[in-house]
Structures are given as structure tokens and as C-alpha cells.
């Protein structure tokens, strides 16, 4: 099992613009970069947890100072996609169970990630 809390404000995955290029707003691009930096020192531990698992469970909790307009599923996607893109998690299609809890008006901005092997 891997579990850690990071002091970072979660930003939801942005919807791509229609057209030939997929473009993301600057805040989402900045969040993905920051999330990669924040979690980088833990990548070996996360990889060790997920590399031999056929299935695993992801759990996220996100705290926001104010009520975010973000859809909860887009927050999960943003957090998971960064770990997959960095090849820390083999593929997010191996996630068979996921939970995300959004706390708002909490006075703090944090993300807690928990990864459990199922098999």
C-alpha cells in the first residue's frame, strides 16, 4: 500500500478544444507539472506498489479552500494521468476501483493519494 498527502491544490483535467490540436489551459498544464514535481520523489514507491498488480485501487482526497467548480471525475483524471504519463503507473485501465472525496471550504489545499493492490 502507498499513502501520502501533498500540499498542492488539485486542478481538474481540462477539456480539449475542438480542432486539430489538443490544447489545455495554462493552469492545468502548470498543475500537471507541479504534481509531477511533488510526487517525483515517491515514484519508486508508487511504481513498486503498482508494477506487479493486475488490478489496483486508487483513492484520492482533495481539500479546497473554497468550493471548486471542478467535476470530481476530472480531478481524478488529472491526478492519475500525470502518473501514467510519467510511466509510474503502467496503465490507468488497470484501475478496477477508485474513490475520490472532495472537501471544500476547508481552509487548506491538499491531495492525499492511496494505492492498494487488489491481486
Amino acid at each position: 500500500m502507498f499513502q501520502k498527502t501533498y500540499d498542492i491544490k488539485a486542478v481538474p483535467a481540462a477539456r480539449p478544444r475542438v480542432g486539430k490540436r489538443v490544447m489545455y489551459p495554462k493552469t492545468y498544464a502548470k498543475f500537471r507539472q507541479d504534481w509531477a514535481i511533488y510526487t517525483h520523489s515517491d515514484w519508486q514507491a508508487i511504481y513498486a506498489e503498482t508494477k506487479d498488480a493486475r488490478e489496483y485501487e486508487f483513492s484520492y482526497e482533495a481539500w479546497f479552500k473554497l468550493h471548486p467548480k471542478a467535476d470530481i471525475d476530472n480531478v481524478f483524471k488529472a491526478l492519475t494521468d500525470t502518473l501514467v504519463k510519467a510511466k509510474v503507473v503502467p496503465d490507468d485501465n488497470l484501475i478496477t476501483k477508485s474513490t475520490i472525496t472532495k472537501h471544500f471550504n476547508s481552509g487548506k489545499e491538499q491531495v492525499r493519494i492511496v494505492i492498494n493492490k487488489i491481486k
Side-chain angles (χ1 to χ4, degrees), residues 5-109:
T5 302
Y6 301 94
D7 293 326
I8 188 171
K9 178 183 178 180
V11 174
R15 296 182 183 197
R17 294 182 185 158
V18 176
K20 292 184 179 181
R21 291 189 201 189
V22 176
M23 303 182 88
Y24 297 96
K26 291 179 182 177
T27 55
Y28 177 60
K30 175 78 169 109
F31 167 72
R32 283 182 58 138
Q33 182 181 39
D34 290 347
W35 179 242
I37 292 168
Y38 272 64
T39 59
H40 189 267
S41 62
D42 298 314
W43 284 0
Q44 287 184 338
I46 294 170
Y47 181 74
E49 183 63 33
T50 61
K51 73 174 184 168
D52 294 328
R54 291 190 179 143
E55 299 175 351
Y56 42 88
E57 172 185 356
F58 265 63
S59 176
Y60 291 110
E61 279 189 87
W63 287 265
F64 298 91
K65 286 183 181 178
L66 303 172
H67 187 294
K69 294 180 182 178
D71 292 343
I72 200 164
D73 58 325
N74 289 335
V75 172
F76 178 83
K77 182 168 180 50
L79 297 166
T80 305
D81 281 353
T82 301
L83 297 176
V84 172
K85 184 173 182 168
K87 299 185 185 334
V88 177
V89 175
D91 195 336
D92 56 355
N93 71 4
L94 298 173
I95 299 171
T96 58
K97 183 178 180 183
S98 63
T99 58
I100 185 162
T101 307
K102 183 167 62 170
H103 307 276
F104 47 89
N105 299 329
S106 66
K108 60 184 172 182
E109 295 177 330

